Structures are given as structure tokens and as C-alpha cells.
Amino acid sequence: MSFEPKILGFLCNWCSYAGADLAGVSRIQYPPNIRVIRVMCSGRVDPEFIFDGFEAGIDGIIVMGCHPGDCHYLEGNYEAEKKFNMVEKLLSFVDMNERIRLEWVSASEGNRFAEIVTEFTDKIKELGPSPVKDPSKANVLLKNINALKMSAVSYRLRALVGRERALTEQENIYGEKVSLERFNDVFENAIFDEYVRNRIVLSLKEDTKSVKDLAIELNMDPSKILSHILILKGRSQVSMDKIVGITPLYISTLEE
Amino acid sequence: MPDKISEEKKIGVFVCHCGTNIGGLVDCEKLAEYSKTLPNVKYSEHNLYTCSETGLAAIKKAVQENDLNRVVVASCTPRTHEPLFRECIEEAGLNPYLFNFVNIRDQCTWVHMKDPEAAYEKSKDLIRMGVSKAEKLEELEKIIVEVNPSAMVIGGGVSGINCALSLNNQGFKTFLVEKDKELGGRLKELYQVFPSDKQASELLNELVAKVKEAKNLTVYTSSKLKSVNGFIGNYEIEIEQRNHNVNLNVGVIVVAVGATSYKPLSLFNYNSKNIITQLELENKLRDNQIEANDIVMIQCVGSRNADREYCSSICCMTALKNALIIKKREPNRNISILFRDLYTPGTIYEEYYRKAREAGVLFIKYTPDKQPIIDKSVVKVYNQYINSEISIPFDLVVLATPLIANNDNRELAQLLKVPLEENKFFLEAHVKLRPIDFATDGVYICGSAKWPADISESTTQGLAAASRAGTILSHKTIEVEGATAYIPDWNKDLCKGCEVCIKICPYNAIVKDENNEIQIIQALCKGCGTCASTCTKKAIVIRHFTNEQIISEILAFGGEKVA
């Protein structure tokens, strides 16, 4: 039997959901793999939802909103795009960024909706089943996805995404504006740092570990791990459990 | 009713055949049977048409007999039928928000007609997802707000004046705000108007006289909108008139700001002397200053091209009208109209075209890839019927230019929190279902602010906006959507006051109160949910689209977590 992927679509009520309805009214046929969750605005799609979907074994996720400038809520789709970009970067760490898509579909674009769904379904078929479903990979991968999700809901990344447009498009009270380039630099570093930190926290939840253990597990430079540990200690997410010989062992203080 | 929340969840599922639209492809009886196996589903049935009287009666009966407290209908689309089913369960004694829609027609059987088996499996998944969300639905109350029975109309052109007069006649206190020194808008610039062939000045004088007589109507000329606060029923407005500010409190706002005439500065050697626009021709006609013997009119100048793809809709009629005025005065003058397509819809407008032909106006079609060229004293145009270029001598060239969006539309749109379309005209809520409303409740649109409109169209729309506004103003209180954002008491401690939500809310619905706490003004919130997915502490909850509800749908599709 050929692989039939599970595809999840988040559609905004006003444009893309209406476009999907129009595809129906016009009897435009497309692959039956997609299941739609209706939201009022694409801006409602919390980055968390995407990771929940992948954790649940969904193979591909598509978010659709109104074309730029057409948003029923004025600017929700711009916010959706910023969030999507963050999720895409996060997913690239586990090589799953091709399994998500953001598209603009208007209420009059039944054809376009069907084309996008067909094309995206083909793409996911080509990529094959989600690696989450591969027993040899699932264990580590789910841990990584969990760390990605924790990053996506972390204060730091959410504050950065939430402020991106204000920072890069409007001047502050001193008449300063952050260039998109500079913002992206900061943002990309923040995304990676948060991911690694959450990965450390999760790893330390299983067992107490030394910086060296973590460096081997995560295949990273020990000095970098140490600097992350120090920050996590400052945030009270990690503490020192004991010292064995001259090596301090750390433990996660994260509550369930 | 509130006691039902704590009760056990009892969900009823109704699978609609929609005649053969759904039932013709998938087995609705089996879907109903399947629904019964889902958690918390206490009742299910399948109906030929769930939206029919019989179907609605079946829902009410099942709710009462089985003491159901959640209803799921699997049928067409919530975009058309959700209000009907909400009303139905409300009549059955349930809160209307305890209803969930599953779309198995428009997004399933209609689009997978060649694969009934897959459509059946998809319907099962969709019903399972719908049931899992239904289980988490909560009762919501509509929000009641008081209405200030007064209106502000922005823009004193044809549509604005007609709208303001109608509101005045309905007995509502009305404020008409015009940025120019005088009322009239584009009408001030015109000579004679179609289809009545009345003098524009005469029409304007009649309207202005009515405005002067109107008892409930106050006019502010040379005035500009400075700030807008509040929400439907309760807007606080500040306008700037010359050097002082005026504060107004109104219940609704009508946008009637019209449009701007386009000056074709770099097109067709436009010089405003012997190559002029139709608008400049109107002035010459008024002053009886036409000396030219050979007149060439070129249509679609600066419109229906890459810069402005739209048709300005008024220019064909303007050209016909002006050509006829000249022909009537001096039948021997030569007039050629070079057009791409000539739009004269309806009997009366078509009559202008016929009369123009009878009067000897020459019509020559040109194509966008072979634009007419003005060469000294002739206009060269390629005629496709004889497959060659012809030269028409001219003393006067008249260019039909489009109406374009005002350049301060963006500013006004931001003040009012309403959208513009790609050409910067104002965008209505729905082109067919709500053509005079904005998506923002209590704000309406009419006339050329939305799209180039002629005088009868502007008048119609002005009156339409007044009657739409009247549906609000005639009530002491109104209900607004209850599916809004809020911070539940149990989340209050989570909020750290980062204010990111305040910045991203497109409706200014989120503020910090005097205690430095975040407040979401319910009447302003439209429930888009962007604040919740942005909230750095996940303190904000969107009613009817909560994280729990959405995640339950995700898990119902994906299956429980793989781990």
C-alpha cells in the first residue's frame, strides 16, 4: 500500500477556509489527506500547535491565511508569518522544516487552494512518513521536538517574535529602528540557544550529568554547554546536584 | 443553565445526507453509528437534511429527550449554517456556543468524489475531531453594550451628504465632517451629470439646501479626523477644525471620503492645454470655451494597466455624456472616442451609447499592446478591423483618467482600524454578504471610497449606509460577539505585564489599567486570537478557540502522542 500521509491544515475563517469551501462548491478535486482545523485568523495559530501535531504523528502541517493586506483582522497574517518563520527555523534543527508550509489563499481562490493542497500532499508523500514514526529515531527525535516546543513557548522567543514588527518596522521613542538584518542575527542566535538550553534541561531531567556528558550527548563544545548551564542556573531551571571527584553534576529543576 | 457545565458531557451528533451531496458518496448511517463509539457521545442520528424544519425539530427533540448538552452537526459549512444551528440549540434550551460544526460536504464529499472510501475515512476523522472539540466547549454570553444614537459621516460628497441626510431624517443626531472648505466633493468639479443631464451645481445646491434645513445635522468643514477611541455604540472622536479640536461622541461611523481624480502627468503628452482630462473638459463645457473642431477622446488612460489594474467604471459614461453635450451644441464638430472596451450597463446608459452613435461620434477600439500615439497634430491609432494604423487630426485630446484612492486613506484606515484593498480603496467586510459594512462593527462604507462610483451609485450606497447604521442606532443596547480574548482569573498571576499583546492587537482592545494590570476590553475585541498565540506567558485565552480545544482537535486527528 502506498504511503498516505496525515496532513493537518489550519485555515483562517475569512479567506482560506472560504477558499476551501469554494473549491468544494466548484467541485475541484484534491487529495483526501488533509484535515482542517478552522481558526478565526491565521494569527491564532500558536507555534506550540505545530509541535503538538508532529508529536502526535502528523506528517505535514499547512497554515493558510488571507493574502497580505487582506486580513479580516488587519494584520493577523503578518504575525502568523513571523511565528511561522520561527517554527521553520526551529524545525530545521531536526530536519523537519520541509514538512510545514504557510500559504495565502483568498476566499475567491478555490482553485489555488486545491492546487496548494495537491502540491503539498505530493511533497509530503515524497518526503515519506514523519521520522517520529520511525522507532529507531523516535526516542531522541521526540525529545528534540519537545525541546523545540519548549523553546517556542519560552518567554524569550515569544517576546522576540511578538516584538519583531514593532522593532523592525517602527521607530522607538528615541527615533531608532532595528534593521531586519540585525534583528535576524539576534533572533537566530536566540532560537538556537533556547533550543540547546531546553535540550539540556530535558536531558538533565532524566539523570544528573556533567558538562562533559552533555557535550558528548549533544555533540557540542563543552565551554558552550557550560555557558548555557550558567544561564539555566540563573533562571532556576538547572541546579548543581553533587560533585563527584572534581566534576560537578547538574540536575533539572523543571517541574512536570 | 450554568449548572450544566459541571454536568457530565452528553454530546449529540447529527450527520446530514444533504440529499445526495453527502449521502450519495458516503454512508451517513454508518457515520452516525461510528459517532456513537466516540467518547461522551450519548446520541447520534442521520438526517436527509439536518437544516430543514424536520432536521431542526429532530435536534430539539433529541436534546430534550436525551438531556444532551453539546451538539455536533456534520454537514456543510459553518460559514453559512452555523447561525441556524446555534439558534436551534438555543431554542432547545442550550447555550448557542455549545454547538460545533463539522464540514463533511464542502471540504470532503464535494472534493473527493472519485474516492468514496477515502471520503468516508476523512469524514470519520473530521467527526472525531469535531466531537473532541465539542467536549471542551464552554457556555459563553454575548456582550451587551449601550448605543449612543448618533452618527459621524466622514466626507461631504454625494454619498456622504445623502447618508447624513437620511440619518438626520431617521431622527439620529448626525455630524458630517468634510476636509474641504465646502461640501460637495467631486460634484463641485463637474458640469452636467449623467443620466439625468442635470447641472451638477443645481444638484449640489439642492443637497446643500437640505443639509441647511436638517435639524439633527451638524456640519464641520475644513475638518479632519484626529483620533478615534471606543467601539460600536460608543465612539469617542476628536476632529481638528482649522486650529481647534472638537470632541464628538457617536454610536457609528460612516466612511464616505470619496476618491481623487488622477492627473496623467507623463501620459499622452498631457499638457492641460490642448491635451486635457475629462474633468478639465467639464470646466471648459461649463464656461462654453470649446473652440476645437476635431476632438479625440482616449479612454482607459492610466487604468487597466500594470500600475492600476482596475476599471474606474465612470469614465465610459463620462466620455459619452461629454461627447453628447458637445454634439448637441455644435453637431458638426468631429468627435472620435478611442476605447478598449466600452462599458454602458443597463438600458439608460446603453441609450447614451446609441445616441452618441446617432450623433455621429466615431468609436475606434484600440488594444493595450498598441496604444494610441500623439504625433504633433494627429493621433495615430491601430485599427484591428482594417489591420492598419490610422491618423486622426485633432485640436483637442481628452484623456479619460481613473478615480484613484485618496492619499490619506492609509492614515484614516489606521485611525478607524479598517482595511484597504490593493489599490488603497477601503475594503468592505464581504463583497456580496456585507457590502456596506466594514468587518469592524459599527463602521460603514459608501461611495467612491470603496470603488469609483457614479452619482446614482454613490447616492444608493449613501442611503444604504444610513440604513445599515440605523439598524444599530435604533436600539438602546446591542449584543456583540462573545468569542473574545480574556485573561481568566487563574491566569492573572502568569501575566508579567510585558505589553507585547498591547502592541500587536489590531483593535487597541488591550490596555493597562490604573493598577498596571492588562485589561482586554471585551466590546473592542474581535476574537482573532493573535494575542493568545503571542502572549509570552500564555495567560490570554481565546473563548471558543482555546488552546485546549484546538489541541484536542489536533490529537483527535494525529492520535495520542506517539511517545
Side-chain angles (χ1 to χ4, degrees):
Chain A
M1 208 176 80
S2 66
F3 163 58
E4 289 299 336
K6 280 187 171 187
I7 293 175
L8 179 63
F10 288 100
L11 270 55
C12 77
N13 182 62
W14 304 96
C15 292
S16 47
Y17 194 92
D21 279 352
L22 182 63
V25 173
S26 324
R27 309 294 196 277
I28 304 165
Q29 307 294 302
Y30 54 85
N33 304 68
I34 189 170
R35 309 287 182 266
V36 166
I37 293 181
R38 183 173 67 109
V39 285
M40 294 314 277
C41 177
S42 54
R44 171 70 188 100
V45 180
D46 196 307
E48 184 186 0
F49 299 159
I50 310 289
F51 301 105
D52 285 327
F54 286 124
E55 282 180 344
I58 286 162
D59 300 293
I61 300 177
I62 186 162
V63 178
M64 298 196 200
C66 309
H67 284 275
D70 280 358
C71 179
H72 185 82
Y73 302 102
L74 309 169
E75 296 178 338
N77 51 356
Y78 293 109
E79 294 298 332
E81 188 172 25
K82 300 296 175 201
K83 293 178 172 66
F84 184 87
N85 291 343
M86 174 183 78
V87 174
E88 201 172 32
K89 276 178 197 147
L90 283 165
L91 280 171
S92 71
F93 301 146
V94 293
D95 229 359
M96 285 177 70
N97 48 324
E98 282 185 278
R99 292 182 180 271
I100 57 166
R101 185 71 67 82
L102 176 70
E103 292 281 357
W104 311 132
V105 173
S106 83
S108 60
E109 294 178 325
N111 248 320
R112 181 177 153 79
F113 173 81
E115 276 165 23
I116 289 168
V117 171
T118 308
E119 192 262 324
F120 186 62
T121 309
D122 289 346
K123 169 89 190 173
I124 299 297
K125 279 188 179 168
E126 192 188 302
L127 288 174
S130 161
V132 168
K133 289 187 264 192
D134 178 348
S136 67
K137 291 180 187 161
N139 196 13
V140 178
L141 185 57
L142 281 167
K143 234 184 283 173
N144 289 343
I145 292 179
N146 196 4
L148 295 176
K149 183 160 90 173
M150 287 163 69
S151 309
V153 301
S154 70
Y155 176 82
R156 187 176 178 210
L157 294 194
R158 283 174 89 94
L160 274 170
V161 180
R163 290 199 179 108
E164 174 171 350
R165 295 183 58 223
L167 286 170
T168 59
E169 290 170 19
Q170 297 156 15
E171 289 181 352
N172 66 13
I173 52 168
Y174 305 108
E176 299 161 337
K177 197 158 86 172
V178 181
S179 76
L180 201 59
E181 215 172 49
R182 182 163 149 63
F183 180 87
N184 281 338
D185 272 356
V186 172
F187 194 35
E188 278 187 31
N189 285 331
I191 288 177
F192 187 66
D193 286 350
E194 289 310 310
Y195 169 57
V196 173
R197 284 168 197 165
N198 284 310
R199 199 58 196 74
I200 292 172
V201 169
L202 285 178
S203 181
L204 293 179
K205 238 172 85 178
E206 296 167 347
D207 203 355
T208 57
K209 283 168 193 166
S210 69
V211 167
K212 206 172 151 192
D213 297 334
L214 286 165
I216 293 164
E217 185 184 334
L218 303 179
N219 193 19
M220 279 182 71
D221 185 36
S223 65
K224 288 230 167 78
I225 296 282
L226 182 62
S227 69
H228 287 312
I229 292 269
L230 293 176
I231 286 167
L232 288 167
K233 271 177 77 178
R235 290 183 187 168
S236 316
Q237 288 180 318
V238 159
S239 66
M240 196 172 69
D241 188 40
K242 56 189 171 224
I243 299 176
V244 176
I246 53 162
T247 311
L249 295 183
Y250 297 93
I251 192 165
S252 162
T253 50
L254 188 76
E255 286 166 30
E256 273 306 324
Chain B
M1 249 191 297
D3 54 318
K4 286 211 173 166
I5 287 184
S6 50
E7 275 179 24
E8 178 196 355
K9 308 282 163 63
K10 293 179 190 165
I11 305 174
V13 180
F14 300 81
V15 182
C16 179
H17 289 248
C18 193
T20 55
N21 283 300
I22 298 168
L25 196 74
V26 297
D27 188 336
C28 295
E29 190 177 347
K30 264 169 74 185
L31 284 176
E33 282 308 310
Y34 168 76
S35 306
K36 275 205 188 96
T37 66
L38 298 170
N40 300 304
V41 175
K42 294 287 176 287
Y43 182 85
S44 79
E45 68 171 77
H46 57 108
N47 324 86
L48 189 57
Y49 288 102
T50 313
C51 63
S52 68
E53 278 297 319
T54 333
L56 297 176
I59 295 178
K60 284 181 209 165
K61 186 165 166 253
V63 167
Q64 272 143 15
E65 287 182 358
N66 301 281
D67 199 22
L68 302 177
N69 51 26
R70 301 283 188 285
V71 171
V72 172
V73 170
S75 61
C76 46
T77 169
R79 295 179 58 258
T80 54
H81 281 64
E82 190 172 63
L84 180 76
F85 291 120
R86 279 188 175 176
E87 204 176 297
C88 168
I89 72 158
E90 197 169 11
E91 283 169 18
L94 293 180
N95 182 291
Y97 288 95
L98 297 178
F99 169 78
N100 198 24
F101 216 112
V102 177
N103 184 334
I104 58 169
R105 188 190 72 178
D106 301 46
Q107 296 182 14
C108 190
T109 58
W110 274 354
V111 289
H112 311 309
M113 294 168 107
K114 289 180 195 129
D115 197 347
E117 213 171 292
Y120 176 71
E121 288 305 316
K122 179 168 174 176
S123 302
K124 272 167 67 181
D125 285 354
L126 290 172
I127 292 173
R128 192 169 66 247
M129 292 161 75
V131 165
S132 70
K133 177 171 178 180
E135 193 252 317
K136 301 212 157 21
L137 290 176
E138 288 159 20
E139 293 193 351
L140 298 181
E141 297 305 327
K142 291 239 171 184
I143 298 156
I144 309 257
V145 294
E146 286 186 16
V147 178
N148 175 345
S150 59
M152 174 177 68
V153 178
I154 312 167
V158 176
S159 58
I161 295 177
N162 274 295
C163 180
L165 283 172
S166 170
L167 285 163
N168 166 77
N169 293 344
Q170 291 177 64
F172 303 119
K173 201 168 173 46
T174 307
F175 305 98
L176 181 57
V177 180
E178 165 58 48
K179 67 179 168 188
D180 272 4
K181 275 183 258 158
E182 289 163 43
L183 293 178
R186 298 280 76 78
L187 197 55
K188 291 199 295 273
E189 300 160 355
L190 304 182
Y191 166 56
Q192 195 171 298
V193 299
F194 60 84
S196 59
D197 287 340
K198 206 173 184 170
Q199 302 288 317
S201 56
E202 198 184 321
L203 179 67
L204 181 57
N205 289 342
E206 279 174 31
L207 286 172
V208 171
K210 284 187 192 164
V211 168
K212 281 189 179 139
E213 281 169 26
K215 289 201 177 70
N216 304 314
L217 181 55
T218 316
V219 178
Y220 294 94
T221 49
S222 307
S223 298
K224 220 181 118 188
L225 199 62
K226 256 192 94 180
S227 75
V228 179
N229 281 305
F231 43 87
I232 183 168
N234 304 274
Y235 284 105
E236 290 162 18
I237 316 268
E238 195 179 1
I239 58 171
E240 188 181 308
Q241 188 179 40
R242 293 177 197 97
N243 292 321
H244 68 287
N245 292 344
V246 183
N247 292 306
L248 304 172
N249 293 310
V250 297
V252 297
I253 299 170
V254 178
V255 176
V257 292
T260 305
S261 319
Y262 174 67
K263 278 226 185 273
L265 287 178
S266 55
L267 297 170
F268 294 103
N269 309 350
Y270 168 75
N271 57 15
S272 141
K273 288 183 190 113
N274 67 337
I275 301 171
I276 61 175
T277 62
Q278 287 284 358
L279 197 63
E280 288 164 327
L281 177 66
E282 302 260 347
N283 286 323
K284 285 184 188 283
L285 287 171
R286 185 192 294 128
D287 305 338
N288 213 353
Q289 274 185 346
I290 314 254
E291 278 142 26
N293 208 35
D294 295 307
I295 301 166
V296 178
M297 295 183 174
I298 304 177
Q299 300 301 106
C300 297
V301 174
S303 63
R304 301 177 71 210
N305 58 16
D307 294 337
R308 256 167 251 99
E309 289 183 347
Y310 64 91
C311 163
S312 178
S313 90
I314 56 163
C315 343
C316 286
M317 280 306 294
T318 305
L320 290 174
K321 178 208 58 170
N322 288 343
L324 277 171
I325 295 172
I326 298 169
K327 277 286 188 184
K328 206 169 173 186
R329 287 184 192 165
E330 313 254 359
N332 293 330
R333 301 223 167 155
N334 299 317
I335 304 179
S336 311
I337 298 184
L338 313 187
F339 68 99
R340 278 174 56 189
D341 299 284
L342 208 61
Y343 293 140
T344 58
T347 322
I348 299 170
Y349 287 5
E350 183 71 9
E351 186 67 18
Y352 271 77
Y353 173 61
R354 200 166 16 236
K355 276 190 194 155
R357 295 213 78 134
E358 282 166 6
V361 175
L362 197 63
F363 289 88
I364 298 164
K365 187 178 168 82
Y366 75 91
T367 50
D369 53 323
K370 287 180 181 158
Q371 296 267 347
I373 296 162
I374 295 182
D375 187 3
K376 289 174 196 134
S377 60
V378 295
V379 179
K380 291 179 176 170
V381 60
Y382 168 80
N383 184 320
Q384 55 180 350
Y385 300 113
I386 56 171
N387 191 23
S388 76
E389 194 176 78
I390 54 175
S391 296
I392 311 165
F394 74 87
D395 307 316
L396 182 67
V397 169
V398 187
L399 307 175
T401 54
L403 282 178
I404 57 172
N406 298 343
N407 55 19
D408 54 1
N409 276 4
R410 172 70 64 198
E411 208 181 313
L412 182 61
Q414 276 168 354
L415 280 176
L416 293 171
K417 305 284 175 193
V418 296
L420 300 178
E421 43 88 283
E422 57 191 313
N423 295 304
K424 310 286 181 292
F425 287 101
F426 287 90
L427 181 70
E428 71 276 64
H430 189 287
V431 64
K432 290 196 186 90
L433 299 175
R434 294 171 64 195
I436 299 294
D437 301 2
F438 277 113
T440 306
D441 294 330
V443 190
Y444 304 91
I445 175 154
C446 58
S448 295
K450 183 165 79 161
W451 205 243
D454 62 28
I455 288 161
S456 37
E457 179 66 26
S458 297
T459 308
T460 312
Q461 290 189 19
L463 296 174
S467 73
R468 290 295 297 146
T471 62
I472 302 299
L473 299 179
S474 55
H475 292 88
K476 283 206 166 64
T477 59
I478 47 156
E479 285 183 343
V480 296
E481 181 53 60
T484 49
Y486 77 121
I487 303 179
D489 288 340
W490 57 88
N491 275 2
K492 287 251 155 71
D493 289 346
L494 287 177
C495 178
K496 296 279 177 279
C498 72
E499 299 187 13
V500 174
C501 53
I502 297 181
K503 283 213 169 64
I504 60 115
C505 177
Y507 299 99
N508 295 345
I510 311 181
V511 293
K512 257 194 179 166
D513 67 9
E514 58 273 19
N515 300 327
N516 227 6
E517 275 178 21
I518 296 284
Q519 291 293 339
I520 302 176
I521 303 163
Q522 295 298 301
L524 274 178
C525 175
K526 299 276 166 270
C528 70
T530 304
C531 55
S533 56
T534 305
C535 178
T536 55
K537 288 290 176 183
K538 297 212 293 172
I540 299 177
V541 172
I542 307 298
R543 293 186 174 101
H544 215 59
F545 290 91
T546 66
N547 278 16
E548 290 69 32
Q549 287 164 359
I550 292 172
I551 290 170
S552 74
E553 283 182 276
I554 298 171
L555 297 183
F557 172 38
E560 286 311 310
K561 289 187 186 178
V562 179

